[in-house]
Amino acid sequence: MRKFMPKRQNDQEQVLIKQLRTNRPLLVYARRSDPLAKDQRRDRTQSREMQTQDMIVWGQESGWSPKLIHPYFADLGLSGTLRPDQRPDMLRLFEDLDSGKFDGSTIACWQESRPFRDETHIYYNQLIDKMLQHDIVLVVLSPRLYIYDMRDPFDKERLREKFKEAADFIPKHVKGWLLPARERAAWEYGEWAGIGDLQIGYIVDLDEDSPTFKKRIPYAAHVDIVRREIFEAFAEVGGEIGLLNRRIALSPVIFPFFEPHIDRRIVNKFNKWSTCSNGYILQHGNTIRSILTNPVYIGYQSVNGVIRRDRQGNMITSHEAIVDPELFFFAYYRLSKYDLDGTLLEGREVKRYFYRGDQATYGLCKYRIRWSNGPVRTEAHGEYDGDTPVDRPIYILAPETFKLGSKNYMCLPCEEVDAEIVNRLMYHVQELSKEQKETSEYEKQAQVIREGRKKKIKQIEQSLVDIEVKQTKLANALSTVKDDNNPSVDSKQASTQLQDDSNVDPKQVSTRLQELIIEQMRNLERERLLLMKDKQRLEEEAENDIGSLEEELQDLVQDYETFSGRDKCGSYAHP
Protein backbone atom coordinates (compact mmCIF):
# COMPACT_ATOMS: atom_id res chain seq x y z
CA MET A 1 0.00 0.00 0.00
CA ARG A 2 1.31 3.41 -0.92
CA LYS A 3 2.25 5.83 1.78
CA PHE A 4 2.64 9.51 0.96
CA MET A 5 4.71 12.03 2.86
CA PRO A 6 3.16 15.30 4.01
CA LYS A 7 5.81 17.43 2.28
CA ARG A 8 8.75 17.19 -0.07
CA GLN A 9 12.00 16.15 1.54
CA ASN A 10 14.59 18.89 1.50
CA ASP A 11 17.98 17.60 0.36
CA GLN A 12 19.64 20.24 2.53
CA GLU A 13 18.33 18.52 5.65
CA GLN A 14 20.58 15.54 4.90
CA VAL A 15 23.71 17.67 4.75
CA LEU A 16 25.96 17.25 7.80
CA ILE A 17 26.43 20.41 9.78
CA LYS A 18 30.07 20.36 10.89
CA GLN A 19 30.97 22.34 13.96
CA LEU A 20 33.39 22.10 16.87
CA ARG A 21 32.15 19.73 19.56
CA THR A 22 33.27 21.79 22.53
CA ASN A 23 31.06 19.85 24.95
CA ARG A 24 32.98 16.61 24.31
CA PRO A 25 36.67 15.77 25.00
CA LEU A 26 39.42 17.14 22.76
CA LEU A 27 42.33 14.73 22.12
CA VAL A 28 45.38 16.74 21.05
CA TYR A 29 47.96 14.61 19.22
CA ALA A 30 51.51 15.79 18.47
CA ARG A 31 54.44 14.10 16.73
CA ARG A 32 57.83 15.25 15.48
CA SER A 33 60.39 12.92 13.91
CA ASP A 34 63.57 14.60 15.12
CA PRO A 35 65.02 12.46 17.98
CA LEU A 36 65.92 15.73 19.71
CA ALA A 37 62.19 16.23 20.33
CA LYS A 38 62.28 13.58 23.08
CA ASP A 39 64.05 16.08 25.34
CA GLN A 40 61.74 18.99 26.07
CA ARG A 41 64.56 21.08 27.54
CA ARG A 42 66.68 20.86 24.38
CA ASP A 43 63.88 20.88 21.82
CA ARG A 44 62.81 24.52 21.65
CA THR A 45 61.67 24.48 18.05
CA GLN A 46 58.63 26.24 16.64
CA SER A 47 57.26 22.90 15.45
CA ARG A 48 57.05 21.54 18.98
CA GLU A 49 55.40 24.66 20.38
CA MET A 50 52.88 24.85 17.53
CA GLN A 51 51.86 21.22 18.04
CA THR A 52 51.65 21.34 21.83
CA GLN A 53 51.24 24.72 23.50
CA ASP A 54 49.52 26.44 20.59
CA MET A 55 47.09 23.55 20.10
CA ILE A 56 46.05 23.62 23.76
CA VAL A 57 45.63 27.40 23.65
CA TRP A 58 43.56 27.06 20.48
CA GLY A 59 41.34 24.46 22.16
CA GLN A 60 40.70 26.69 25.15
CA GLU A 61 40.03 29.75 23.00
CA SER A 62 37.64 27.71 20.85
CA GLY A 63 35.47 26.80 23.84
CA TRP A 64 36.90 23.61 25.36
CA SER A 65 37.39 23.66 29.11
CA PRO A 66 40.85 22.59 30.37
CA LYS A 67 39.32 19.45 31.91
CA LEU A 68 38.15 18.24 28.50
CA ILE A 69 41.55 18.66 26.80
CA HIS A 70 43.66 15.47 26.78
CA PRO A 71 47.24 15.79 25.45
CA TYR A 72 48.93 12.94 23.57
CA PHE A 73 52.52 14.20 23.39
CA ALA A 74 54.59 11.06 24.10
CA ASP A 75 55.30 10.46 20.38
CA LEU A 76 57.51 13.52 20.02
CA GLY A 77 60.82 12.26 18.66
CA LEU A 78 59.31 9.25 16.85
CA SER A 79 58.87 8.73 13.12
CA GLY A 80 55.42 8.59 11.57
CA THR A 81 56.49 5.45 9.69
CA LEU A 82 56.44 3.48 12.96
CA ARG A 83 53.51 1.20 13.68
CA PRO A 84 50.96 2.15 16.38
CA ASP A 85 52.36 -0.49 18.76
CA GLN A 86 55.79 1.17 18.39
CA ARG A 87 54.48 4.60 19.43
CA PRO A 88 53.17 4.82 23.00
CA ASP A 89 50.64 7.59 22.51
CA MET A 90 49.28 6.37 19.18
CA LEU A 91 48.73 3.00 20.86
CA ARG A 92 47.09 4.78 23.81
CA LEU A 93 44.89 6.75 21.41
CA PHE A 94 43.77 3.55 19.69
CA GLU A 95 42.99 1.94 23.06
CA ASP A 96 41.05 4.98 24.27
CA LEU A 97 38.98 5.05 21.09
CA ASP A 98 38.22 1.32 21.33
CA SER A 99 37.15 1.69 24.96
CA GLY A 100 34.28 3.95 23.91
CA LYS A 101 34.92 6.58 26.59
CA PHE A 102 35.64 9.22 23.94
CA ASP A 103 32.73 8.50 21.59
CA GLY A 104 31.61 11.66 19.82
CA SER A 105 34.86 13.45 20.68
CA THR A 106 37.44 15.33 18.60
CA ILE A 107 41.02 14.52 17.63
CA ALA A 108 43.08 17.62 16.89
CA CYS A 109 46.51 17.81 15.27
CA TRP A 110 48.47 20.46 13.42
CA GLN A 111 48.46 18.73 10.02
CA GLU A 112 47.23 15.50 8.46
CA SER A 113 50.82 14.21 8.31
CA ARG A 114 51.18 14.14 12.10
CA PRO A 115 49.33 10.87 12.87
CA PHE A 116 50.97 8.74 10.18
CA ARG A 117 53.42 8.46 7.32
CA ASP A 118 52.27 4.91 6.73
CA GLU A 119 53.69 3.42 3.54
CA THR A 120 51.75 0.16 4.09
CA HIS A 121 48.41 2.06 4.03
CA ILE A 122 47.17 -0.24 6.80
CA TYR A 123 47.38 1.77 9.99
CA TYR A 124 45.81 5.05 8.90
CA ASN A 125 42.87 3.03 7.58
CA GLN A 126 42.57 1.51 11.06
CA LEU A 127 42.32 5.03 12.49
CA ILE A 128 39.66 6.00 9.94
CA ASP A 129 37.62 2.90 10.80
CA LYS A 130 37.82 3.66 14.52
CA MET A 131 36.78 7.27 13.94
CA LEU A 132 33.78 6.14 11.90
CA GLN A 133 32.79 3.50 14.43
CA HIS A 134 32.96 5.85 17.43
CA ASP A 135 31.75 9.06 15.72
CA ILE A 136 35.09 10.86 16.09
CA VAL A 137 35.96 13.93 14.05
CA LEU A 138 39.48 15.06 13.16
CA VAL A 139 40.36 18.75 13.22
CA VAL A 140 43.53 20.06 11.57
CA LEU A 141 44.69 23.66 11.87
CA SER A 142 47.24 24.07 9.08
CA PRO A 143 47.19 25.45 6.44
CA ARG A 144 43.57 26.21 7.39
CA LEU A 145 41.13 24.80 9.90
CA TYR A 146 39.24 21.84 8.53
CA ILE A 147 36.92 19.35 10.23
CA TYR A 148 36.95 15.78 8.92
CA ASP A 149 33.68 14.01 9.73
CA MET A 150 33.81 10.33 8.79
CA ARG A 151 30.03 10.22 8.30
CA ASP A 152 30.59 12.35 5.22
CA PRO A 153 31.94 10.11 2.40
CA PHE A 154 33.71 13.10 0.86
CA ASP A 155 35.55 13.87 4.10
CA LYS A 156 36.49 10.23 4.59
CA GLU A 157 38.01 9.91 1.12
CA ARG A 158 39.68 13.31 1.38
CA LEU A 159 41.34 12.33 4.66
CA ARG A 160 42.41 9.03 3.13
CA GLU A 161 44.04 10.93 0.26
CA LYS A 162 45.81 13.25 2.71
CA PHE A 163 47.17 10.25 4.59
CA LYS A 164 48.36 8.79 1.28
CA GLU A 165 50.14 12.05 0.49
CA ALA A 166 51.83 11.95 3.90
CA ALA A 167 52.91 8.35 3.27
CA ASP A 168 54.32 9.22 -0.16
CA PHE A 169 56.27 12.20 1.17
CA ILE A 170 59.33 10.18 2.23
CA PRO A 171 59.73 7.85 -0.80
CA LYS A 172 58.76 10.46 -3.39
CA HIS A 173 59.77 13.84 -2.00
CA VAL A 174 62.63 13.08 0.39
CA LYS A 175 64.22 10.02 -1.24
CA GLY A 176 63.08 10.83 -4.74
CA TRP A 177 63.87 14.54 -4.83
CA LEU A 178 65.60 16.14 -1.84
CA LEU A 179 68.34 13.57 -1.29
CA PRO A 180 69.24 13.24 -5.00
CA ALA A 181 69.33 17.05 -5.27
CA ARG A 182 71.64 17.26 -2.27
CA GLU A 183 73.94 14.56 -3.65
CA ARG A 184 74.04 16.31 -7.02
CA ALA A 185 75.01 19.62 -5.39
CA ALA A 186 77.83 17.86 -3.55
CA TRP A 187 79.04 15.93 -6.62
CA GLU A 188 78.66 18.53 -9.35
CA TYR A 189 79.61 21.70 -7.46
CA GLY A 190 81.63 20.44 -4.50
CA GLU A 191 79.23 21.90 -1.94
CA TRP A 192 79.19 20.48 1.55
CA ALA A 193 75.38 20.01 1.28
CA GLY A 194 75.12 18.52 4.77
CA ILE A 195 76.39 15.08 3.75
CA GLY A 196 78.46 13.59 6.56
CA ASP A 197 80.17 15.38 9.42
CA LEU A 198 82.02 18.66 9.12
CA GLN A 199 85.70 17.95 9.73
CA ILE A 200 87.69 19.83 12.34
CA GLY A 201 89.81 22.51 10.68
CA TYR A 202 87.04 23.58 8.30
CA ILE A 203 83.85 25.61 8.40
CA VAL A 204 81.27 26.23 5.68
CA ASP A 205 81.11 29.55 3.85
CA LEU A 206 77.51 30.77 4.19
CA ASP A 207 78.06 34.12 2.47
CA GLU A 208 75.83 34.07 -0.62
CA ASP A 209 78.04 36.62 -2.39
CA SER A 210 81.20 34.58 -1.86
CA PRO A 211 82.66 32.43 -4.68
CA THR A 212 83.05 29.62 -2.11
CA PHE A 213 79.42 29.76 -1.00
CA LYS A 214 78.33 26.45 0.63
CA LYS A 215 81.86 25.06 0.34
CA ARG A 216 84.41 24.22 3.01
CA ILE A 217 86.88 26.93 3.93
CA PRO A 218 89.77 26.65 6.42
CA TYR A 219 89.23 27.93 9.94
CA ALA A 220 92.55 29.51 10.87
CA ALA A 221 92.31 28.87 14.61
CA HIS A 222 92.08 25.11 14.00
CA VAL A 223 94.18 24.67 10.86
CA ASP A 224 97.56 25.05 12.57
CA ILE A 225 96.60 22.59 15.30
CA VAL A 226 95.49 19.96 12.78
CA ARG A 227 98.68 20.35 10.78
CA ARG A 228 101.14 20.61 13.70
CA GLU A 229 99.63 18.46 16.46
CA ILE A 230 98.31 15.63 14.29
CA PHE A 231 99.94 15.27 10.86
CA GLU A 232 103.40 16.62 11.69
CA ALA A 233 103.35 14.87 15.07
CA PHE A 234 102.55 11.58 13.32
CA ALA A 235 105.60 12.06 11.10
CA GLU A 236 107.77 12.89 14.12
CA VAL A 237 106.95 9.55 15.79
CA GLY A 238 107.87 7.71 12.59
CA GLY A 239 104.33 6.84 11.56
CA GLU A 240 103.59 4.84 14.72
CA ILE A 241 99.93 5.44 15.55
CA GLY A 242 100.35 3.90 19.00
CA LEU A 243 103.06 6.40 19.91
CA LEU A 244 100.92 9.27 18.65
CA ASN A 245 97.94 8.08 20.70
CA ARG A 246 100.13 7.88 23.80
CA ARG A 247 101.55 11.32 23.12
CA ILE A 248 98.07 12.83 22.78
CA ALA A 249 96.87 10.98 25.89
CA LEU A 250 99.68 12.57 27.92
CA SER A 251 99.36 15.99 26.28
CA PRO A 252 95.78 16.42 25.01
CA VAL A 253 95.12 18.33 21.80
CA ILE A 254 92.62 21.14 22.41
CA PHE A 255 90.89 23.11 19.66
CA PRO A 256 89.66 26.52 20.86
CA PHE A 257 85.94 27.27 20.81
CA PHE A 258 84.56 28.98 17.73
CA GLU A 259 84.48 32.75 17.69
CA PRO A 260 81.09 34.43 18.30
CA HIS A 261 80.64 35.46 14.66
CA ILE A 262 80.69 31.84 13.42
CA ASP A 263 77.21 30.67 12.41
CA ARG A 264 75.50 28.50 15.02
CA ARG A 265 74.62 25.92 12.38
CA ILE A 266 78.33 25.23 12.01
CA VAL A 267 79.08 25.28 15.72
CA ASN A 268 76.30 22.77 16.40
CA LYS A 269 78.03 20.24 14.15
CA PHE A 270 80.72 19.88 16.83
CA ASN A 271 78.38 19.35 19.78
CA LYS A 272 79.40 15.68 20.04
CA TRP A 273 83.02 16.60 20.79
CA SER A 274 84.17 16.46 24.40
CA THR A 275 84.94 19.89 25.79
CA CYS A 276 86.87 21.56 28.57
CA SER A 277 87.11 25.17 29.66
CA ASN A 278 89.51 25.96 26.79
CA GLY A 279 87.80 24.22 23.88
CA TYR A 280 87.21 20.89 22.14
CA ILE A 281 89.34 17.93 23.24
CA LEU A 282 90.74 15.36 20.81
CA GLN A 283 90.95 12.17 22.85
CA HIS A 284 89.73 9.15 20.88
CA GLY A 285 92.11 7.00 18.86
CA ASN A 286 89.51 6.34 16.17
CA THR A 287 89.06 10.09 15.66
CA ILE A 288 92.81 10.55 15.26
CA ARG A 289 93.00 7.76 12.69
CA SER A 290 89.99 9.18 10.85
CA ILE A 291 91.65 12.60 10.56
CA LEU A 292 94.94 11.14 9.33
CA THR A 293 93.20 9.17 6.56
CA ASN A 294 90.60 11.72 5.43
CA PRO A 295 91.39 13.14 1.95
CA VAL A 296 89.29 16.21 2.75
CA TYR A 297 92.47 17.74 4.21
CA ILE A 298 94.13 17.77 0.77
CA GLY A 299 91.09 19.28 -0.93
CA TYR A 300 89.20 16.16 -2.02
CA GLN A 301 85.54 15.62 -1.16
CA SER A 302 83.85 12.22 -1.09
CA VAL A 303 80.17 11.73 -1.85
CA ASN A 304 78.73 8.45 -0.60
CA GLY A 305 82.20 6.94 -0.36
CA VAL A 306 83.41 8.09 -3.81
CA ILE A 307 85.84 10.98 -4.31
CA ARG A 308 84.56 13.59 -6.76
CA ARG A 309 85.85 13.10 -10.28
CA ASP A 310 85.40 14.66 -13.69
CA ARG A 311 84.00 12.76 -16.66
CA GLN A 312 87.46 11.45 -17.51
CA GLY A 313 87.77 9.89 -14.04
CA ASN A 314 90.28 12.38 -12.64
CA MET A 315 89.90 13.49 -9.03
CA ILE A 316 88.64 17.05 -8.58
CA THR A 317 89.84 19.50 -5.95
CA SER A 318 86.72 20.77 -4.19
CA HIS A 319 88.16 23.21 -1.66
CA GLU A 320 91.40 24.58 -0.26
CA ALA A 321 93.79 22.00 1.20
CA ILE A 322 95.21 22.62 4.66
CA VAL A 323 97.76 19.76 4.73
CA ASP A 324 100.65 19.20 2.35
CA PRO A 325 99.86 16.18 0.09
CA GLU A 326 103.21 14.55 0.85
CA LEU A 327 102.54 14.78 4.59
CA PHE A 328 99.01 13.43 4.14
CA PHE A 329 100.01 10.43 2.02
CA PHE A 330 102.77 9.63 4.52
CA ALA A 331 100.00 9.04 7.07
CA TYR A 332 97.41 7.63 4.70
CA TYR A 333 99.44 4.76 3.28
CA ARG A 334 100.62 3.71 6.74
CA LEU A 335 97.12 3.49 8.17
CA SER A 336 94.78 2.64 5.29
CA LYS A 337 94.37 -0.73 3.63
CA TYR A 338 92.97 0.80 0.43
CA ASP A 339 94.10 3.53 -1.92
CA LEU A 340 91.87 6.48 -2.89
CA ASP A 341 90.37 4.40 -5.72
CA GLY A 342 89.21 1.73 -3.28
CA THR A 343 91.80 -0.83 -4.42
CA LEU A 344 93.29 -3.08 -1.75
CA LEU A 345 96.93 -2.16 -1.24
CA GLU A 346 99.47 -4.87 -1.93
CA GLY A 347 100.55 -6.69 1.18
CA ARG A 348 97.62 -5.40 3.21
CA GLU A 349 95.10 -7.96 4.39
CA VAL A 350 91.68 -7.12 5.72
CA LYS A 351 91.23 -8.65 9.14
CA ARG A 352 88.23 -10.91 9.46
CA TYR A 353 86.68 -11.58 12.83
CA PHE A 354 84.81 -14.74 13.73
CA TYR A 355 82.44 -15.57 16.53
CA ARG A 356 84.30 -17.68 19.05
CA GLY A 357 81.31 -18.88 21.04
CA ASP A 358 82.35 -16.89 24.11
CA GLN A 359 80.59 -13.66 25.07
CA ALA A 360 83.47 -12.76 27.41
CA THR A 361 81.07 -11.45 30.04
CA TYR A 362 83.55 -11.79 32.86
CA GLY A 363 82.77 -10.19 36.18
CA LEU A 364 79.54 -8.92 37.68
CA CYS A 365 81.08 -5.46 38.03
CA LYS A 366 82.41 -5.15 34.50
CA TYR A 367 81.84 -1.56 33.24
CA ARG A 368 80.37 -0.70 36.64
CA ILE A 369 83.32 0.06 38.90
CA ARG A 370 86.40 2.28 38.76
CA TRP A 371 89.53 2.68 40.82
CA SER A 372 91.72 5.70 41.55
CA ASN A 373 93.69 5.47 38.27
CA GLY A 374 90.84 4.82 35.88
CA PRO A 375 88.31 2.19 34.82
CA VAL A 376 88.42 -1.45 35.89
CA ARG A 377 88.53 -3.90 32.99
CA THR A 378 88.21 -7.66 32.82
CA GLU A 379 90.17 -10.28 30.96
CA ALA A 380 90.29 -14.07 30.78
CA HIS A 381 93.60 -15.12 32.32
CA GLY A 382 94.52 -18.44 30.70
CA GLU A 383 96.15 -21.19 32.76
CA TYR A 384 96.78 -24.68 31.47
CA ASP A 385 95.44 -27.72 33.28
CA GLY A 386 97.27 -30.42 31.38
CA ASP A 387 96.51 -29.80 27.71
CA THR A 388 93.31 -27.86 28.39
CA PRO A 389 93.45 -24.08 28.89
CA VAL A 390 91.33 -22.83 31.78
CA ASP A 391 89.95 -19.29 31.72
CA ARG A 392 90.24 -17.58 35.08
CA PRO A 393 88.65 -14.14 34.69
CA ILE A 394 90.37 -11.28 36.49
CA TYR A 395 89.68 -7.61 37.19
CA ILE A 396 92.47 -5.47 35.72
CA LEU A 397 93.43 -2.36 37.67
CA ALA A 398 95.16 -0.27 35.04
CA PRO A 399 95.23 3.39 33.91
CA GLU A 400 93.25 4.80 30.98
CA THR A 401 96.07 4.19 28.49
CA PHE A 402 96.33 0.48 29.36
CA LYS A 403 96.63 -1.88 26.41
CA LEU A 404 95.28 -5.42 26.65
CA GLY A 405 98.08 -7.96 26.57
CA SER A 406 100.37 -5.87 28.75
CA LYS A 407 101.80 -7.61 31.82
CA ASN A 408 102.35 -4.45 33.84
CA TYR A 409 99.15 -4.27 35.86
CA MET A 410 97.52 -5.25 39.13
CA CYS A 411 94.65 -7.70 39.11
CA LEU A 412 92.06 -9.37 41.32
CA PRO A 413 90.26 -12.67 40.64
CA CYS A 414 86.69 -12.05 39.54
CA GLU A 415 85.37 -15.04 41.47
CA GLU A 416 86.59 -13.75 44.83
CA VAL A 417 85.36 -10.19 44.32
CA ASP A 418 82.04 -11.34 42.87
CA ALA A 419 81.48 -13.79 45.72
CA GLU A 420 81.81 -11.01 48.30
CA ILE A 421 79.46 -8.76 46.33
CA VAL A 422 76.91 -11.55 45.90
CA ASN A 423 76.96 -12.41 49.60
CA ARG A 424 76.22 -8.82 50.52
CA LEU A 425 73.55 -8.59 47.83
CA MET A 426 71.83 -11.74 49.09
CA TYR A 427 71.85 -10.36 52.62
CA HIS A 428 70.02 -7.22 51.49
CA VAL A 429 67.65 -9.31 49.36
CA GLN A 430 66.70 -11.42 52.36
CA GLU A 431 66.16 -8.34 54.51
CA LEU A 432 63.99 -6.77 51.82
CA SER A 433 62.03 -10.00 51.43
CA LYS A 434 61.34 -10.05 55.16
CA GLU A 435 60.39 -6.40 55.55
CA GLN A 436 58.47 -6.04 52.25
CA LYS A 437 59.14 -2.32 52.07
CA GLU A 438 57.87 -0.26 49.14
CA THR A 439 56.62 -3.29 47.20
CA SER A 440 53.37 -1.61 46.19
CA GLU A 441 55.21 0.70 43.78
CA TYR A 442 57.02 -2.28 42.29
CA GLU A 443 53.74 -4.16 41.77
CA LYS A 444 52.17 -1.08 40.20
CA GLN A 445 55.00 -0.65 37.69
CA ALA A 446 54.96 -4.36 36.86
CA GLN A 447 51.22 -4.17 36.17
CA VAL A 448 51.74 -1.19 33.84
CA ILE A 449 54.32 -3.20 31.88
CA ARG A 450 51.94 -6.16 31.59
CA GLU A 451 49.04 -4.01 30.41
CA GLY A 452 51.23 -2.25 27.87
CA ARG A 453 52.41 -5.58 26.50
CA LYS A 454 48.82 -6.82 26.15
CA LYS A 455 47.83 -3.66 24.27
CA LYS A 456 50.73 -4.06 21.86
CA ILE A 457 49.85 -7.70 21.17
CA LYS A 458 46.22 -6.77 20.58
CA GLN A 459 47.18 -4.03 18.13
CA ILE A 460 49.59 -6.34 16.28
CA GLU A 461 46.91 -9.02 15.96
CA GLN A 462 44.49 -6.49 14.48
CA SER A 463 47.17 -5.29 12.06
CA LEU A 464 47.84 -8.87 10.95
CA VAL A 465 44.14 -9.35 10.21
CA ASP A 466 44.00 -6.10 8.22
CA ILE A 467 47.12 -7.03 6.25
CA GLU A 468 45.62 -10.41 5.38
CA VAL A 469 42.44 -8.72 4.13
CA LYS A 470 44.47 -6.25 2.08
CA GLN A 471 46.61 -9.03 0.61
CA THR A 472 43.47 -10.93 -0.40
CA LYS A 473 42.09 -7.87 -2.18
CA LEU A 474 45.38 -7.31 -3.98
CA ALA A 475 45.52 -10.97 -5.03
CA ASN A 476 42.02 -10.69 -6.47
CA ALA A 477 42.96 -7.47 -8.24
CA LEU A 478 46.06 -9.14 -9.67
CA SER A 479 44.06 -12.03 -11.07
CA THR A 480 41.57 -9.56 -12.55
CA VAL A 481 44.31 -7.57 -14.27
CA LYS A 482 45.75 -10.77 -15.74
CA ASP A 483 42.36 -11.60 -17.21
CA ASP A 484 42.57 -9.65 -20.46
CA ASN A 485 39.30 -11.02 -21.79
CA ASN A 486 37.10 -9.68 -19.01
CA PRO A 487 38.73 -6.71 -17.27
CA SER A 488 36.94 -5.30 -14.25
CA VAL A 489 35.72 -1.74 -13.91
CA ASP A 490 38.45 -0.94 -11.39
CA SER A 491 41.19 -2.20 -13.69
CA LYS A 492 39.73 -0.18 -16.57
CA GLN A 493 39.79 2.98 -14.44
CA ALA A 494 43.35 2.27 -13.30
CA SER A 495 44.43 1.64 -16.87
CA THR A 496 42.86 4.92 -17.95
CA GLN A 497 44.76 6.81 -15.25
CA LEU A 498 48.08 5.28 -16.27
CA GLN A 499 47.63 6.02 -19.96
CA ASP A 500 48.88 9.45 -20.90
CA ASP A 501 48.17 8.69 -24.54
CA SER A 502 45.19 6.81 -25.93
CA ASN A 503 47.56 4.98 -28.29
CA VAL A 504 49.43 3.24 -25.44
CA ASP A 505 49.36 -0.53 -25.74
CA PRO A 506 46.88 -1.95 -23.18
CA LYS A 507 49.23 -4.88 -22.55
CA GLN A 508 51.92 -2.46 -21.36
CA VAL A 509 49.43 -0.86 -18.98
CA SER A 510 48.38 -4.28 -17.71
CA THR A 511 52.01 -5.26 -17.11
CA ARG A 512 52.66 -2.05 -15.20
CA LEU A 513 49.58 -2.60 -13.05
CA GLN A 514 50.77 -6.10 -12.20
CA GLU A 515 54.18 -4.77 -11.17
CA LEU A 516 52.61 -2.16 -8.89
CA ILE A 517 50.30 -4.69 -7.24
CA ILE A 518 53.10 -7.21 -6.73
CA GLU A 519 55.34 -4.53 -5.20
CA GLN A 520 52.59 -3.54 -2.76
CA MET A 521 52.03 -7.19 -1.86
CA ARG A 522 55.75 -7.56 -1.14
CA ASN A 523 55.69 -4.52 1.13
CA LEU A 524 52.73 -5.94 3.02
CA GLU A 525 54.45 -9.30 3.38
CA ARG A 526 57.58 -7.64 4.80
CA GLU A 527 55.39 -5.75 7.25
CA ARG A 528 53.56 -8.96 8.18
CA LEU A 529 56.84 -10.76 8.94
CA LEU A 530 58.00 -7.87 11.14
CA LEU A 531 54.70 -7.96 13.01
CA MET A 532 54.96 -11.71 13.52
CA LYS A 533 58.49 -11.33 14.87
CA ASP A 534 57.47 -8.61 17.33
CA LYS A 535 54.42 -10.59 18.39
CA GLN A 536 56.58 -13.63 19.13
CA ARG A 537 58.96 -11.48 21.16
CA LEU A 538 56.12 -9.99 23.22
CA GLU A 539 54.56 -13.41 23.80
CA GLU A 540 57.90 -14.76 25.02
CA GLU A 541 58.16 -11.82 27.40
CA ALA A 542 54.64 -12.55 28.66
CA GLU A 543 55.46 -16.23 29.12
CA ASN A 544 58.54 -15.36 31.17
CA ASP A 545 56.73 -12.58 32.99
CA ILE A 546 57.92 -11.62 36.42
CA GLY A 547 55.76 -12.51 39.37
CA SER A 548 55.24 -10.52 42.52
CA LEU A 549 58.27 -9.00 44.21
CA GLU A 550 58.04 -11.50 47.04
CA GLU A 551 58.04 -14.45 44.63
CA GLU A 552 60.95 -13.07 42.64
CA LEU A 553 63.05 -12.46 45.73
CA GLN A 554 62.38 -15.95 47.03
CA ASP A 555 63.33 -17.49 43.68
CA LEU A 556 66.50 -15.42 43.57
CA VAL A 557 67.56 -16.52 47.05
CA GLN A 558 66.75 -20.19 46.45
CA ASP A 559 68.01 -20.61 42.89
CA TYR A 560 71.07 -18.38 42.77
CA GLU A 561 73.36 -20.93 44.39
CA THR A 562 72.52 -23.49 41.68
CA PHE A 563 74.17 -21.34 38.99
CA SER A 564 77.83 -21.72 38.20
CA GLY A 565 80.16 -18.78 38.66
CA ARG A 566 80.37 -18.20 34.91
CA ASP A 567 76.55 -18.33 34.59
CA LYS A 568 76.27 -15.67 37.25
CA CYS A 569 78.63 -13.41 35.39
CA GLY A 570 76.96 -14.04 32.06
CA SER A 571 73.48 -13.47 33.45
CA TYR A 572 74.13 -10.17 35.14
CA ALA A 573 77.05 -8.55 33.35
CA HIS A 574 75.95 -6.73 30.22
CA PRO A 575 78.69 -5.11 28.15
Side-chain angles (χ1 to χ4, degrees), residues 469-487:
V469 172
K470 184 68 172 179
Q471 287 177 324
T472 302
K473 292 181 179 179
L474 289 173
N476 294 335
L478 182 61
S479 62
T480 303
V481 171
K482 290 181 178 179
D483 187 2
D484 296 331
N485 296 326
N486 186 23

Side-chain angles (χ1 to χ4, degrees), residues 497-515:
Q497 293 176 359
L498 286 177
Q499 295 184 47
D500 296 330
D501 188 348
S502 59
N503 296 325
V504 173
D505 186 358
K507 291 184 178 180
Q508 295 180 355
V509 177
S510 177
T511 301
R512 178 57 178 162
L513 281 173
Q514 293 180 41
E515 293 174 354

Side-chain angles (χ1 to χ4, degrees), residues 419-435:
E420 182 65 25
I421 293 175
V422 168
N423 290 335
R424 295 193 179 190
L425 174 64
M426 289 298 107
Y427 172 78
H428 290 294
V429 167
Q430 292 169 357
E431 292 297 319
L432 180 61
S433 179
K434 293 177 182 178
E435 298 179 9

Side-chain angles (χ1 to χ4, degrees), residues 187-199:
W187 183 265
E188 295 292 336
Y189 304 110
E191 297 179 0
W192 176 58
I195 298 179
D197 295 330
L198 189 59
Q199 293 75 21

Side-chain angles (χ1 to χ4, degrees), residues 2-14:
R2 292 189 179 92
K3 181 179 179 180
F4 296 96
M5 301 181 66
K7 63 177 182 178
R8 294 178 60 190
Q9 185 175 4
N10 187 356
D11 293 338
Q12 297 298 324
E13 294 178 357
Q14 299 181 357

Side-chain angles (χ1 to χ4, degrees), residues 176 182 213 417 427 450:
R182 186 177 69 167
F213 177 53
V417 177
Y427 172 78
R450 296 188 190 102

Side-chain angles (χ1 to χ4, degrees), residues 74-178:
D75 290 351
L76 289 168
L78 298 177
S79 171
T81 60
L82 296 176
R83 305 190 307 263
D85 61 282
Q86 295 173 321
R87 289 188 277 160
D89 260 4
M90 181 54 70
L91 180 62
R92 182 164 69 95
L93 179 62
F94 274 26
E95 288 293 324
D96 289 344
L97 296 183
D98 289 337
S99 68
K101 63 181 180 180
F102 289 140
D103 286 3
S105 300
T106 301
I107 299 175
C109 57
W110 188 252
Q111 286 182 332
E112 293 89 345
S113 62
R114 296 305 85 201
F116 290 102
R117 291 196 186 276
D118 175 23
E119 297 181 33
T120 67
H121 310 292
I122 293 295
Y123 307 113
Y124 66 71
N125 280 306
Q126 291 179 346
L127 177 60
I128 291 176
D129 292 341
K130 294 178 188 296
M131 292 170 59
L132 179 61
Q133 180 181 354
H134 298 281
D135 189 23
I136 306 292
V137 297
L138 175 67
V139 177
V140 296
L141 268 63
S142 178
R144 61 185 62 85
L145 188 146
Y146 191 87
I147 302 175
Y148 290 96
D149 193 329
M150 297 301 99
R151 295 174 298 173
D152 186 342
F154 174 79
D155 277 356
K156 184 168 67 173
E157 290 307 313
R158 177 175 178 176
L159 180 59
R160 203 185 306 274
E161 289 299 322
K162 289 292 185 180
F163 282 150
K164 288 181 180 179
E165 291 178 8
D168 292 339
F169 177 79
I170 293 178
K172 291 184 178 180
H173 187 69
V174 177
K175 297 180 181 178
W177 178 257
L178 294 181

Side-chain angles (χ1 to χ4, degrees), residues 33-70:
S33 299
D34 190 347
L36 184 65
K38 295 180 180 179
D39 189 346
Q40 183 176 358
R41 295 173 299 177
R42 297 176 59 192
D43 183 25
R44 299 181 179 179
T45 59
Q46 298 298 323
S47 176
R48 183 190 188 96
E49 295 178 357
M50 288 190 299
Q51 293 189 61
T52 55
Q53 300 175 10
D54 292 359
M55 291 293 293
I56 292 178
V57 171
W58 168 83
Q60 294 176 353
E61 292 178 348
S62 299
W64 275 279
S65 66
K67 294 182 179 180
L68 290 177
I69 299 177
H70 301 269

